[in-house]
Amino acid sequence: DAKTTQPPSMDCAEGRAANLPCNHSTISGNEYVYWYRQIHSQGPQYIIHGLKNNETNEMASLIITEDRKSSTLILPHATLRDTAVYYCIAGQGGSEKLVFGKGTKLTVNP
Amino acid sequence: NAGVMQNPRHLVRRRGQEARLRCSPMKGHSHVYWYRQLPEEGLKFMVYLQKENIIDESGMPKERFSAEFPKEGPSILRIQQVVRGDSAAYFCASSPLRQGAGNIQYFGAGTRLSVL
């Protein structure tokens, strides 16, 4: 699985968009980019994933660069409840393990 | 559709006792994964199972730890002769059998094991 690099922490004002970057320069052609988050000590929560195209769902948008070496998770209107550690993971589409790094600790401030 | 169910939520054991952690996957999911999160650390993969088969146990400690996912019933993570270093949050995840669309894993709330 490709290694991912994320900033250790970020701050965002409530109501503003939160843009979380992730570098995955060694990603292979068949590897997806997954985003999960962990709020305090809860179980990780799936957010979104993509292969090549940008993706959007009710939680977030995922922007993947054309060369697929980096991506950005966008929370369009961050709330206090979005404060969490966000993990960017590169992995194949088969049924295999997820390799979690240290993630980005996002703090949404009032 | 109920999510991934783990029980107990909290488990206290004395050194040398056995710990049994249970995980019921989401309905229709045939893949189960166990992860461990030590205090102040990230999640680490332990084992991946399908019904009656261990597919990948590369993250399991060599001794005292075992896992199963029987044909009927929940998946069990068993830790024999627990030591203080086993104190952690153990998370179970499940995913459906689906190829070519990415592997979305859905996590339970975890079992917090405390070894006295």
Side-chain angles (χ1 to χ4, degrees), chain A residues 32 34 36 38 40-46 49 87 92-102, chain B residues 31 33 35 37 43 45 48 56 58 91 95-96 98-105 107-109 112:
Chain A
Y32 288 77
Y34 301 89
Y36 286 77
Q38 187 174 26
H40 193 43
S41 300
Q42 299 177 21
Q45 178 187 23
Y46 165 79
H49 77 289
Y87 297 98
Q92 295 183 0
S95 300
E96 76 290 328
K97 63 190 179 189
L98 296 173
V99 179
F100 288 83
K102 295 185 183 300
Chain B
H31 303 251
Y33 312 79
Y35 295 82
Q37 187 169 34
L43 290 101
F45 166 80
Y48 159 40
D56 181 357
S58 59
F91 293 100
S95 70
R98 186 172 59 190
Q99 298 296 328
N103 176 29
I104 301 172
Q105 295 184 20
F107 284 78
R112 271 108 185 126

Side-chain angles (χ1 to χ4, degrees), chain B residues 7 12 14 27 41 46 51 54 56 58-59 72 78-79 82 88 91:
Chain B
N7 65 81
V12 179
R14 296 189 182 280
K27 186 176 181 180
E41 293 190 16
M46 299 182 75
K51 286 283 188 181
I54 297 174
D56 181 357
S58 59
E72 301 291 338
R78 181 182 179 207
I79 310 172
V82 296
F91 293 100

Side-chain angles (χ1 to χ4, degrees), chain B:
Chain B
N1 187 12
V4 177
M5 303 301 292
Q6 290 188 249
N7 65 81
R9 293 291 307 277
H10 301 274
L11 182 60
V12 179
R13 286 286 178 267
R14 296 189 182 280
R15 281 178 296 171
Q17 292 184 320
E18 178 180 286
R20 292 172 68 88
L21 288 64
R22 296 174 186 77
C23 170
S24 296
M26 289 179 69
K27 186 176 181 180
H29 286 192
S30 56
H31 303 251
V32 166
Y33 312 79
W34 286 93
Y35 295 82
R36 178 168 68 173
Q37 187 169 34
L38 295 169
E40 306 303 323
E41 293 190 16
L43 290 101
K44 302 295 184 187
F45 166 80
M46 299 182 75
V47 63
Y48 159 40
L49 311 102
Q50 294 180 23
K51 286 283 188 181
E52 300 184 281
N53 284 306
I54 297 174
I55 307 302
D56 181 357
E57 56 181 348
S58 59
M60 287 281 270
K62 298 300 181 189
E63 298 178 346
R64 302 187 297 108
F65 284 73
S66 62
E68 63 176 9
F69 188 16
K71 186 176 181 180
E72 301 291 338
S75 174
I76 305 289
L77 180 67
R78 181 182 179 207
I79 310 172
Q80 295 178 289
Q81 300 175 323
V82 296
V83 300
R84 288 217 172 107
D86 297 332
S87 295
Y90 292 82
F91 293 100
C92 170
S94 72
S95 70
L97 177 62
R98 186 172 59 190
Q99 298 296 328
N103 176 29
I104 301 172
Q105 295 184 20
Y106 297 89
F107 284 78
T111 293
R112 271 108 185 126
L113 173 65
S114 296
V115 179
L116 304 179

Side-chain angles (χ1 to χ4, degrees), chain A residues 4-7 17 21 23 36 40 44-45 51 53 55 59 64 67 69 76-77 80 92 96-98 101-102 105 109:
Chain A
T4 62
T5 304
Q6 299 176 252
N23 286 323
Y36 286 77
H40 193 43
Q45 178 187 23
L51 185 61
N53 301 320
E55 302 287 345
M59 289 183 68
I64 303 174
D67 62 9
K69 292 185 177 181
H77 305 287
L80 299 179
Q92 295 183 0
E96 76 290 328
K97 63 190 179 189
L98 296 173
K102 295 185 183 300
K105 181 172 173 54
N109 301 303

